[in-house]
Amino acid sequence: MAHGEALALVMPFVLPELAKIRPHKVARLLSVFADDLNTGRTLSTQEACDLVLQKMDQWLEDIGLKLRFADYGIKEHDVSALTQSINFTRLTNAWER
């Protein structure tokens, strides 16, 4: 599996968690996933986060990414082992900037 494909596969799981602790950072991605958005008003941070998550899911579907780990031969016990190896503190701190 290509690195970018792997990142895209986990993004629907990681981004909502990051939105809980750094919503203003996730909201900034709105310009990437909804650059044509014209609501006529300014969205709240939470509204922008929700829209980013929705648009990202749609984009992943549009590009034809397989969204199930099993489609890549990844078993449930593999996911458990992978998540145990992630340093979430480092990941969270990276979004402080």
Side-chain angles (χ1 to χ4, degrees), residues 5-66:
E5 193 171 28
L7 290 174
L9 182 62
V10 300
M11 195 56 68
F13 303 99
V14 173
L15 206 54
E17 293 305 310
L18 290 173
K20 291 176 186 175
I21 56 174
R22 304 275 190 272
H24 62 286
K25 295 287 188 172
V26 173
R28 289 175 50 194
L29 294 173
L30 189 61
S31 64
V32 174
F33 290 108
D35 63 344
D36 61 344
L37 182 68
N38 185 5
T39 64
R41 66 180 181 85
T42 302
L43 298 177
S44 71
T45 300
Q46 186 59 53
E47 289 173 319
C49 281
D50 293 344
L51 191 54
V52 165
L53 298 175
Q54 175 189 346
K55 293 288 192 173
M56 181 196 58
D57 286 344
Q58 183 62 50
W59 176 73
L60 293 172
E61 185 178 310
D62 290 348
I63 65 171
L65 181 73
K66 298 174 192 169

